[in-house]
Amino acid sequence: MKQLLKPSILAIADSDSYLKLATSFLTRLGPAWDRKVYLARTPVMPTAEQIAAAFEGTDLDPDALQVISVSQLEADTVDEDIVFASATGPVVAEIYSRILRTEPVDGRCTALISALPGVAFPATQKGWNYRRAGDAFICHSHAEARDFSFMIEGQEGHQPTIMVSKLPFLRSAGFPPEQKQVVERLVFAPQAKVPAQEHERESILLALEQASRMNPELEVLIKLRAKAGEPQTHLEAFPYDSLFEKLQAEQRIGADSRLCFDTGSMSEALTDGSALVTVSSTAALESLDRGLPTLILSDFGVSAQMINTVFVASGVIGTLDDVIGLSFGEPTKAWLRENYFHRVDHSFAQSLEILAHRARAGKLLTDPEVLAHIRRQPLRHRLRTTLPAPLVRVLVKLRHHYRHSRRNGANSLS
């Protein structure tokens, strides 16, 4: 039985975006909890710069971050009441598996929770299946919670309790402040997966270049998640910094271009006087949260493939022409209320504390069907948590090379 006085939580992250979720989530819980962060050794481990960015603005000590191998994780190595698996799906499934297989099914002392690091709408069965062995799954809006509830309606067997919190890096208690319309800096927030085509990404850079030339006093910043070749949660076939160099070599962007590229935290980029443009990045929510003009690009579609259907009826969807003209819409209050800007009461924190106390008292039960489910996890999902670090680095390079070669081959056939 755990003897700690405070409720305690251990967050285990595996990539840059999930580490940011872990640190901001624990900071929101505050010092009333005993809090600890581990970083799982996987192919998508963040760089030192990404780690520093994830801890920036939190009350956690980055020097206390421990790197662990999930393959060594067992229930008797965890002293905390709650394990927050803030990680990609296969890693979450392996964390859950190792805890559940080594604790009593009729008196478990470790609660298992998880969440996604940004927009989780629409709900996906694949993402849910990785996390369904947990005790709770955290959504960040009423729309998300409804979508996951609809998806699992009528399904038999164990399902995690769906909790509604708020994205921990959002500061607004409810509606964000009114937008400030003076734009001195234009920030573009890329995503690794969308848009997928090289020419689509080039069109964004060309539009940003045109906006820069038409507005000489405007600073234009491409805020990268990672530099070309660095690890991030999802592989990026055509990194924007590489494409920029290509466009300059082709003289489609001049050598005197004022476009800037930077990594680091989004909070540093979204200063007063900034505006944000993205296809679907969670950074749009950070921008709205600060009352900054925000634009979701629709040139490549508003669809599940573009991961931006959540912004339908938001009032902030626009085009590359709007970017060039610095034309931004206002978010609608009905959309804000349903999507991430609801007013938060104390119910989520109380529910989490109750779960921690149940775990400490050994009152959690494990459904036999859950144990059968985790034993069916494919071997390939476990490999990413068991390989030694040097081999992981080699596999990352091979995977990137394979994706790049396959894409180039497809392009040559088209």
PDB file of all heavy atoms in Angstrom, residues 363-375:
ATOM      1  N   LYS A 363      -8.633  -0.671  -4.769  1.00  0.00           N
ATOM      2  CA  LYS A 363     -10.019  -0.975  -5.107  1.00  0.00           C
ATOM      3  C   LYS A 363     -10.291  -1.023  -6.612  1.00  0.00           C
ATOM      4  O   LYS A 363     -11.443  -1.069  -7.038  1.00  0.00           O
ATOM      5  CB  LYS A 363     -10.946   0.056  -4.457  1.00  0.00           C
ATOM      6  CG  LYS A 363     -10.970  -0.027  -2.934  1.00  0.00           C
ATOM      7  CD  LYS A 363     -11.974   0.958  -2.337  1.00  0.00           C
ATOM      8  CE  LYS A 363     -12.034   0.819  -0.830  1.00  0.00           C
ATOM      9  NZ  LYS A 363     -13.021   1.778  -0.234  1.00  0.00           N
ATOM     10  N   LEU A 364      -9.226  -1.007  -7.410  1.00  0.00           N
ATOM     11  CA  LEU A 364      -9.435  -1.063  -8.853  1.00  0.00           C
ATOM     12  C   LEU A 364      -9.453  -2.520  -9.324  1.00  0.00           C
ATOM     13  O   LEU A 364      -8.656  -3.342  -8.867  1.00  0.00           O
ATOM     14  CB  LEU A 364      -8.325  -0.305  -9.577  1.00  0.00           C
ATOM     15  CG  LEU A 364      -8.238   1.193  -9.274  1.00  0.00           C
ATOM     16  CD1 LEU A 364      -7.043   1.807 -10.006  1.00  0.00           C
ATOM     17  CD2 LEU A 364      -9.516   1.905  -9.671  1.00  0.00           C
ATOM     18  N   LEU A 365     -10.358  -2.824 -10.226  1.00  0.00           N
ATOM     19  CA  LEU A 365     -10.496  -4.171 -10.767  1.00  0.00           C
ATOM     20  C   LEU A 365     -10.086  -4.188 -12.228  1.00  0.00           C
ATOM     21  O   LEU A 365     -10.295  -3.220 -12.952  1.00  0.00           O
ATOM     22  CB  LEU A 365     -11.942  -4.666 -10.624  1.00  0.00           C
ATOM     23  CG  LEU A 365     -12.551  -4.647  -9.212  1.00  0.00           C
ATOM     24  CD1 LEU A 365     -13.993  -5.120  -9.252  1.00  0.00           C
ATOM     25  CD2 LEU A 365     -11.726  -5.518  -8.265  1.00  0.00           C
ATOM     26  N   THR A 366      -9.517  -5.298 -12.662  1.00  0.00           N
ATOM     27  CA  THR A 366      -9.140  -5.474 -14.058  1.00  0.00           C
ATOM     28  C   THR A 366     -10.050  -6.505 -14.700  1.00  0.00           C
ATOM     29  O   THR A 366     -10.131  -7.646 -14.233  1.00  0.00           O
ATOM     30  CB  THR A 366      -7.675  -5.929 -14.184  1.00  0.00           C
ATOM     31  OG1 THR A 366      -6.829  -4.954 -13.563  1.00  0.00           O
ATOM     32  CG2 THR A 366      -7.281  -6.079 -15.645  1.00  0.00           C
ATOM     33  N   ASP A 367     -10.734  -6.097 -15.743  1.00  0.00           N
ATOM     34  CA  ASP A 367     -11.639  -6.985 -16.459  1.00  0.00           C
ATOM     35  C   ASP A 367     -10.818  -8.064 -17.180  1.00  0.00           C
ATOM     36  O   ASP A 367      -9.847  -7.748 -17.871  1.00  0.00           O
ATOM     37  CB  ASP A 367     -12.438  -6.160 -17.473  1.00  0.00           C
ATOM     38  CG  ASP A 367     -13.585  -6.937 -18.082  1.00  0.00           C
ATOM     39  OD1 ASP A 367     -13.358  -8.083 -18.497  1.00  0.00           O
ATOM     40  OD2 ASP A 367     -14.700  -6.383 -18.163  1.00  0.00           O
ATOM     41  N   PRO A 368     -11.173  -9.358 -17.024  1.00  0.00           N
ATOM     42  CA  PRO A 368     -10.437 -10.424 -17.740  1.00  0.00           C
ATOM     43  C   PRO A 368     -10.402 -10.201 -19.252  1.00  0.00           C
ATOM     44  O   PRO A 368      -9.421 -10.547 -19.915  1.00  0.00           O
ATOM     45  CB  PRO A 368     -11.237 -11.688 -17.391  1.00  0.00           C
ATOM     46  CG  PRO A 368     -11.917 -11.364 -16.111  1.00  0.00           C
ATOM     47  CD  PRO A 368     -12.233  -9.899 -16.163  1.00  0.00           C
ATOM     48  N   GLU A 369     -11.442  -9.591 -19.809  1.00  0.00           N
ATOM     49  CA  GLU A 369     -11.481  -9.322 -21.238  1.00  0.00           C
ATOM     50  C   GLU A 369     -10.382  -8.337 -21.623  1.00  0.00           C
ATOM     51  O   GLU A 369      -9.825  -8.409 -22.727  1.00  0.00           O
ATOM     52  CB  GLU A 369     -12.854  -8.777 -21.622  1.00  0.00           C
ATOM     53  CG  GLU A 369     -13.079  -8.583 -23.113  1.00  0.00           C
ATOM     54  CD  GLU A 369     -12.667  -7.196 -23.599  1.00  0.00           C
ATOM     55  OE1 GLU A 369     -12.592  -6.273 -22.757  1.00  0.00           O
ATOM     56  OE2 GLU A 369     -12.422  -7.047 -24.807  1.00  0.00           O
ATOM     57  N   VAL A 370     -10.051  -7.412 -20.700  1.00  0.00           N
ATOM     58  CA  VAL A 370      -8.984  -6.446 -20.955  1.00  0.00           C
ATOM     59  C   VAL A 370      -7.640  -7.160 -21.047  1.00  0.00           C
ATOM     60  O   VAL A 370      -6.816  -6.867 -21.918  1.00  0.00           O
ATOM     61  CB  VAL A 370      -8.958  -5.371 -19.848  1.00  0.00           C
ATOM     62  CG1 VAL A 370      -7.685  -4.548 -19.932  1.00  0.00           C
ATOM     63  CG2 VAL A 370     -10.168  -4.464 -19.960  1.00  0.00           C
ATOM     64  N   LEU A 371      -7.396  -8.109 -20.148  1.00  0.00           N
ATOM     65  CA  LEU A 371      -6.146  -8.857 -20.196  1.00  0.00           C
ATOM     66  C   LEU A 371      -6.021  -9.622 -21.512  1.00  0.00           C
ATOM     67  O   LEU A 371      -4.952  -9.671 -22.116  1.00  0.00           O
ATOM     68  CB  LEU A 371      -6.064  -9.825 -19.017  1.00  0.00           C
ATOM     69  CG  LEU A 371      -5.853  -9.187 -17.639  1.00  0.00           C
ATOM     70  CD1 LEU A 371      -5.887 -10.251 -16.554  1.00  0.00           C
ATOM     71  CD2 LEU A 371      -4.542  -8.420 -17.592  1.00  0.00           C
ATOM     72  N   ALA A 372      -7.118 -10.205 -21.960  1.00  0.00           N
ATOM     73  CA  ALA A 372      -7.099 -10.909 -23.244  1.00  0.00           C
ATOM     74  C   ALA A 372      -6.820  -9.935 -24.387  1.00  0.00           C
ATOM     75  O   ALA A 372      -6.086 -10.249 -25.330  1.00  0.00           O
ATOM     76  CB  ALA A 372      -8.420 -11.626 -23.460  1.00  0.00           C
ATOM     77  N   HIS A 373      -7.400  -8.739 -24.287  1.00  0.00           N
ATOM     78  CA  HIS A 373      -7.214  -7.719 -25.326  1.00  0.00           C
ATOM     79  C   HIS A 373      -5.752  -7.311 -25.442  1.00  0.00           C
ATOM     80  O   HIS A 373      -5.204  -7.236 -26.546  1.00  0.00           O
ATOM     81  CB  HIS A 373      -8.091  -6.507 -25.016  1.00  0.00           C
ATOM     82  CG  HIS A 373      -7.784  -5.299 -25.852  1.00  0.00           C
ATOM     83  ND1 HIS A 373      -8.131  -5.196 -27.174  1.00  0.00           N
ATOM     84  CD2 HIS A 373      -7.130  -4.138 -25.542  1.00  0.00           C
ATOM     85  CE1 HIS A 373      -7.735  -4.036 -27.653  1.00  0.00           C
ATOM     86  NE2 HIS A 373      -7.122  -3.373 -26.683  1.00  0.00           N
ATOM     87  N   ILE A 374      -5.087  -7.053 -24.319  1.00  0.00           N
ATOM     88  CA  ILE A 374      -3.706  -6.572 -24.385  1.00  0.00           C
ATOM     89  C   ILE A 374      -2.756  -7.679 -24.822  1.00  0.00           C
ATOM     90  O   ILE A 374      -1.716  -7.402 -25.406  1.00  0.00           O
ATOM     91  CB  ILE A 374      -3.249  -5.961 -23.038  1.00  0.00           C
ATOM     92  CG1 ILE A 374      -3.251  -7.010 -21.924  1.00  0.00           C
ATOM     93  CG2 ILE A 374      -4.110  -4.772 -22.674  1.00  0.00           C
ATOM     94  CD1 ILE A 374      -2.700  -6.481 -20.619  1.00  0.00           C
ATOM     95  N   ARG A 375      -3.111  -8.930 -24.574  1.00  0.00           N
ATOM     96  CA  ARG A 375      -2.246 -10.025 -25.032  1.00  0.00           C
ATOM     97  C   ARG A 375      -2.311 -10.196 -26.542  1.00  0.00           C
ATOM     98  O   ARG A 375      -1.447 -10.830 -27.138  1.00  0.00           O
ATOM     99  CB  ARG A 375      -2.645 -11.320 -24.330  1.00  0.00           C
ATOM    100  CG  ARG A 375      -2.312 -11.332 -22.834  1.00  0.00           C
ATOM    101  CD  ARG A 375      -2.496 -12.705 -22.236  1.00  0.00           C
ATOM    102  NE  ARG A 375      -2.208 -12.689 -20.803  1.00  0.00           N
ATOM    103  CZ  ARG A 375      -3.117 -12.834 -19.846  1.00  0.00           C
ATOM    104  NH1 ARG A 375      -4.386 -13.018 -20.172  1.00  0.00           N
ATOM    105  NH2 ARG A 375      -2.774 -12.806 -18.582  1.00  0.00           N
TER     106      ARG A 375
END
